[in-house]
Amino acid sequence: MTDAPRRPPLMPLDEALARLLAAATPQMGIESVSTFEADGRVLAQDVRSGLTVPPRDNSSMDGYAVRSADCAAPGAVLRVSQRIPAGTVGAPLAAGTAARIFTGAQIPSGADAVVMQEDAVALPEDGELGSVRIELVPAIGQWIRRAGEDVTVGDAVLARGERLTPAGLGLAASVGLDRLQVAKRPLVTLLSTGDELVMPGEVAPEAMKPGSIYNSNRFFMRALLVRLGCEVHDLGIVPDRRDATIEALRSASERSDLIITTGGVSVGEEDHIKAAVQALGQLDLWSLSMKPGKPFAYGRIGNAHLTGLPGNPVSSFLTFLLLVRPFLLTLQGAIRVAPAPVAMRADFDWPRADRRREFLRARRNAAGGLDLFANQSSGVLTSMVWGDGVIDTPAGQSFKAGDMVQFIPFSSLLG
């Protein structure tokens, strides 16, 4: 009697990610886009400033520009010699006078402090612009924004490889850029496999055949790709047949940077992705030591990359966030692709150590700890809505309430 063939060991997640990122050579090309339209895109070149921001010392408050030497004691009364709104330049400030000034207005020469209007009392009956009584002794430099305290000429304000955020767009605009050079959008073809799948809106719940389920993966997968700045081509649901799978992958490979499949990557008789990829190209990675998310594949068909994700929705969601997302960002030349875990206290026991690295859906509670979603099944998509992150649990590790664990917030994975 011969021994049954041994299955190859499951690949650790870190090794799989390293191999994926090594294969993701940036090759997207560059395009110029409006700064208004660049949110989430990856910069293809450094952004350097051609000016100083702010260009001159200016007031950070509505109030009065003064010489601090004229206000050495509380109650000093100064004649208001001028009024300086934002966008205008005042005259030099004479000794013994104050200038009525507004937020953003340039500080007149001679002034070395601003007294906010809450700390001053206007005396309008005294002269054309009146006088002002300074109630508090100002410190030199008080409420003055110095020239160049934000940006100086020549500064690299945004670096190549940064993924643009709303704050980054504002910073680019502050140095005068209405267009930015970014990596072109990856073209991603998305397809689902499974004869059990139906689309919401096409079949009413009461008319569904036994064994049918709605295709939830297609909806969240498309949304995730759009958030990453991808151009998405959706092939819909491919029948569970080897010939149909091969034809869909062949067609997708001719126009895609990345093909993403959901379902069909396990080892059942109706799982055709592995055989189809091997018939058309090469399969470099298969089955991971992670839970949920064991059935995961990576390969190439012609010039197109392919990632095969599990059919169970939580598995599909998490393998996308932990593997496909960093792959796509690297493909665009991004410099930061890894999530940012934080150490937090678990407020529950987890005695069931698994041989695979496990990602537990959890959320932060009002006491500063983490609560666990009761059902950790890979098919329970409600856990991804209820939770605000996952606990990264090493293989073979259990823990008790009060122990510190590594928590990956969804906020660091979904942006």
Side-chain angles (χ1 to χ4, degrees), residues 21 23-29 183-184 186-188 257-258 305 325-334 337:
L21 298 187
T25 305
Q27 53 184 0
M28 302 312 306
K184 288 185 176 180
L187 176 55
V188 180
D257 298 302
L258 173 65
H305 301 274
R325 178 183 182 273
F327 177 86
L328 280 167
L329 290 175
T330 302
L331 206 63
Q332 297 174 73
V337 302

Side-chain angles (χ1 to χ4, degrees), residues 318 321-322 325 338-344 362-364 370 387-392 406-415:
L318 285 176
L321 294 180
L322 296 172
R325 178 183 182 273
V342 292
M344 292 192 67
R363 73 177 178 190
R364 290 164 282 204
L370 295 170
D388 57 11
V390 289
I391 297 172
D392 184 355
Q406 291 296 305
F407 181 67
I408 305 175
F410 287 146
S411 58
S412 72
L413 291 168
L414 294 174

Side-chain angles (χ1 to χ4, degrees), residues 4 25 38 56 85 124 181 183 195 234 241 288 294 307 377 400 412:
T25 305
R56 299 286 187 275
Q181 301 297 309
D195 289 340
D234 193 341
R241 298 197 318 270
L288 304 181
K294 173 187 170 184
T307 54
S377 168
K400 297 180 179 179
S412 72

Side-chain angles (χ1 to χ4, degrees), residues 19 66 71-72 114 123 138 141 169 179 189-190 200 208 262 273 317 321 338 383:
R19 290 175 61 170
V66 300
C71 311
V114 170
L123 306 171
L169 301 183
R179 300 193 69 81
T189 297
L190 177 63
M208 291 176 68
T262 59
I273 294 295
F317 210 121
L321 294 180
S383 65

Side-chain angles (χ1 to χ4, degrees), residues 32-41 164-166 168-170 172-173 177-180 182 185:
S32 173
V33 301
S34 164
T35 303
F36 277 123
E37 306 298 328
D39 186 36
R41 304 294 292 273
L164 288 161
T165 63
L169 301 183
L177 294 181
D178 68 330
R179 300 193 69 81
L180 294 167
V182 298
R185 297 179 185 274

Side-chain angles (χ1 to χ4, degrees), residues 89-104:
V89 179
L93 187 67
T97 69
R100 180 71 168 117
I101 197 166
F102 297 89
T103 303

Side-chain angles (χ1 to χ4, degrees), residues 154-368:
D155 281 353
V157 296
L158 295 167
R160 175 183 178 182
E162 284 193 43
R163 191 157 176 248
L164 288 161
T165 63
L169 301 183
L171 183 55
S174 77
V175 299
L177 294 181
D178 68 330
R179 300 193 69 81
L180 294 167
Q181 301 297 309
V182 298
K184 288 185 176 180
R185 297 179 185 274
L187 176 55
V188 180
T189 297
L190 177 63
L191 62 94
S192 306
T193 67
D195 289 340
E196 76 279 12
L197 299 176
V198 296
M199 286 296 292
E202 294 180 358
V203 181
E206 64 273 12
M208 291 176 68
K209 296 178 181 178
S212 294
I213 58 173
Y214 286 123
N215 186 0
S216 60
N217 292 1
R218 188 175 177 186
F219 287 82
F220 66 69
M221 197 63 60
R222 182 183 181 89
L224 289 167
L225 289 167
V226 170
R227 285 192 177 201
L228 284 171
C230 300
E231 182 180 344
V232 183
H233 180 64
D234 193 341
L235 291 184
I237 301 169
V238 176
D240 271 335
R241 298 197 318 270
R242 187 174 185 272
D243 61 334
T245 304
I246 288 175
E247 181 53 37
L249 293 181
R250 177 186 289 114
S251 174
S253 69
E254 294 171 355
R255 59 175 177 268
S256 306
D257 298 302
L258 173 65
I259 305 166
I260 297 179
T261 68
T262 59
V265 290
S266 192
V267 292
E269 293 179 4
E270 300 300 320
D271 295 317
H272 301 296
I273 294 295
K274 181 177 184 180
V277 175
Q278 290 174 325
L280 295 169
Q282 63 187 57
L283 190 68
D284 299 324
L285 194 155
W286 181 264
S287 293
L288 304 181
S289 183
M290 67 177 286
K291 181 182 179 182
K294 173 187 170 184
F296 177 87
Y298 168 75
R300 302 211 42 171
I301 301 174
N303 292 323
H305 301 274
L306 178 138
T307 54
L309 277 57
N312 280 322
V314 176
S315 300
S316 184
F317 210 121
L318 285 176
T319 51
F320 182 95
L321 294 180
L322 296 172
L323 291 160
V324 181
R325 178 183 182 273
F327 177 86
L328 280 167
L329 290 175
T330 302
L331 206 63
Q332 297 174 73
I335 53 178
R336 285 190 291 271
V337 302
V342 292
M344 292 192 67
R345 184 190 70 246
D347 286 346
F348 60 92
D349 293 332
W350 187 253
R352 304 194 300 271
D354 196 273
R355 64 186 179 87
R356 290 178 281 165
R357 185 173 173 181
E358 191 163 10
F359 293 88
L360 307 172
R361 279 83 76 198
R363 73 177 178 190
R364 290 164 282 204
N365 58 39

